[in-house]
Each structure stands twice: as C-alpha cells, then as structure tokens.
Amino acid sequence: MRLGIDLDGVVANFNGGWITFYNEEFGTSLGSDVIDSWDGIPAATHFASMREFWDWARYLKGASLFRHLETYDGAVNTLWNLAKSGHTIVILTSKPYWATHDTYEWIAEHKLPTREVHILDEKWQVDCDVYLDDAPHNIYDIHLHRPDRATVRFIRPWNHPVPGTHDVATWDEFQSFVDAHQA
Ligand SMILES: [Mg+2]
C-alpha cells in the first residue's frame, strides 16, 4: 500500500524542538507539554502571532528549526519495518517555502525509507491508501476528499477525534493498523 506520512508532530518532534531552542534563548522553562491546541504557540510564548514565531524559527543555529528536529521514538524504525514489508512510504509535509532544503536534508540525515516526498498543503491531492497526520485540518480535509481511504490521526494534545477516521497513540499501533488494513 501507499502510506502517506506526515512529518511534523508525527515523525519529527516539532514542539519539543522549538521549545528547547526557546528556553535556551529566552531563559524560560516551558515544558514539552505546553502546547495543547493547534496554533497555540503565541498564547504560550512572547510571540504576538505565528508570523513572529516563524520569523524566529527561520534562523536558528545556521538553519531553520526544521533542520534541527529530533524524531519521535519508534518512528523511523516503524517506517523501515513498513517499507521492508513492501509498503511505499510517501512523505506528505507542509512547510514554509524557506524550509524546503532543510526538509530534504533532514530526511536524508535520518535516512527515512522513502523515494517520494511531497511538500504541499493539500495532502489529499496525493493518492495514498493510508494517510497518517496530526493536524486537525489535515485529518478533516483528507477524509473529506478521500473518504474511501484510511485516514489515521496520530493522537496528540492538539488534535481531536474526527468521525470516520482512525486513531493511533503510538507507532506500534500504527504498524498494527497497517498490518490489519486491506487497501
Ligand atoms: Mg503534522
């Protein structure tokens, strides 16, 4: 099957990443669980808007934030297991235009088992059998446009159940879901 895999909040620990940089630079002690809503960053920081946040996140230690992110436990291993089982790993990630090259470098550094990367907002435009995402609007839109495919929500504090879609809490659960799913 073609597995459409999101990066930030699913494979890459986006919030953990920016929070580490933020605490270091501004002397704060925000916990890694401070974000519990989509676009909740301005409320948790001194940034007045997401625009201000992105202006900051664009230049951090010689690259953008996206170049520095760590992977979630189990993410890369599970992707390799799925790829070895014959599935095609299709990366579907939304990024600011200035993060394009950092995104490819990050994928290469972490050796994700993929030969197909799409950097785009409307992820449903890429035909997959299973989609895995954490963003509320993506989960909703993918299911709306591809109701006959499996849309899987990676449960995070900033998302919520969407009727007709599936939930997983861990990468092991995603592996089990794919194993049990027939395209
Ligand atoms: Mg995401």
Side-chain angles (χ1 to χ4, degrees):
M1 293 189 289
R2 287 171 56 81
L3 309 181
I5 307 295
D6 176 34
L7 291 183
D8 300 308
V10 171
V11 178
N13 188 347
F14 175 82
N15 283 324
W18 76 256
I19 287 168
T20 299
F21 277 99
Y22 188 88
N23 285 338
E24 200 177 297
E25 182 169 338
F26 300 107
T28 48
S29 51
L30 300 184
S32 58
D33 57 352
V34 70
I35 297 299
D36 60 3
S37 67
W38 190 254
D39 276 355
I41 293 175
T45 63
H46 74 282
F47 297 120
S49 63
M50 284 306 291
R51 171 70 186 274
E52 279 189 20
F53 169 80
W54 290 122
D55 286 347
W56 170 75
R58 185 172 176 176
Y59 303 105
L60 294 169
K61 294 191 176 171
S64 75
L65 170 65
F66 296 101
R67 183 68 187 85
H68 301 293
L69 300 180
E70 295 183 358
T71 59
Y72 281 107
D73 286 347
V76 178
N77 277 348
T78 305
L79 289 175
W80 273 101
N81 288 340
L82 291 166
K84 286 174 184 166
S85 303
H87 300 295
T88 300
I89 306 300
V90 180
I91 299 299
L92 303 176
T93 184
S94 298
K95 289 285 197 291
Y97 71 92
W98 41 259
T100 303
H101 298 103
D102 282 349
T103 299
Y104 284 109
E105 286 190 4
W106 188 89
I107 289 169
E109 180 192 347
H110 293 281
K111 297 186 164 47
L112 301 193
T114 185
R115 304 178 74 171
E116 185 175 343
V117 177
H118 300 264
I119 302 178
L120 79 177
D121 291 327
E122 304 209 315
K123 301 182 177 191
W124 56 268
Q125 291 185 347
V126 179
D127 191 358
C128 293
D129 300 293
V130 176
Y131 297 85
L132 177 64
D133 213 287
D134 68 308
H137 59 281
N138 286 334
I139 298 162
Y140 179 85
D141 277 353
I142 293 166
H143 180 60
L144 180 70
H145 291 280
R146 302 264 183 196
D148 57 333
R149 309 300 166 85
T151 301
V152 181
R153 170 177 73 122
F154 209 115
I155 298 173
R156 299 295 186 197
W158 51 86
N159 60 30
H160 48 79
V162 175
T165 67
H166 308 271
D167 288 346
V168 297
T170 65
W171 275 96
D172 281 347
E173 284 186 27
F174 184 64
Q175 169 93 53
S176 300
F177 177 86
V178 173
D179 290 346
H181 185 73
Q182 297 286 332

